[in-house]
Amino acid sequence: MTLNDELTEDAIAVRAEASDWRDAVRQAGALLTAVGVTTDEYTDEMVQTVEKLGPYIVLAPGIALAHSRPSPAVNRAGIAWLQLAEPVEFGHQTNDPVWLVVALAALDHDGHLGLMSALAAVLGDTDLLARLREADSPARVLELLTPTTP
């Protein structure tokens, strides 16, 4: 599985403006809702998760994985990609500020493992991340996430 197996252009926003981390998470959640992955309630749940547990979702320098527990607000597993024009602070000691919010929704605790594995491969590729940060369209994001065959 690759990220673009589940990611569509409609679930990607580039050069988005966010006033703070809540706004960034809400925008990422709105992308999930727009493509039918979740309802608006899931976006509220993602924000509440960070409010309760802190900025643990900032997994790597500049990158947050917005999510919440599986709930009735999730229609199907999926992801959204929000690249920010200007990074925002989440309150993480070492990985702030955040320029990319990936929103993840799953129907159960195991349903997202393939997506997480694919995301981990992207996060481990610093050259790819640099190119993704400069992507100027959803199509370019998908192009960069498409595996090349030798």
Side-chain angles (χ1 to χ4, degrees), residues 61-96:
I63 300 169
L65 179 63
H67 63 282
S68 189
R69 300 177 69 78
S71 79
V74 177
N75 299 322
R76 61 180 171 84
I79 59 173
W81 184 279
L82 181 76
Q83 175 219 76
L84 298 171
E86 294 295 328
V88 297
E89 300 282 331
F90 273 68
H92 195 281
Q93 283 187 317
T94 56
N95 292 334
D96 269 347

Side-chain angles (χ1 to χ4, degrees), residues 63 99-100 122-123 125-134:
I63 300 169
W99 65 270
L100 174 63
V122 170
L123 296 180
D125 187 335
T126 55
D127 292 334
L128 176 58
L129 281 175
R131 291 191 309 271
L132 286 164
R133 188 170 185 171
E134 299 303 317

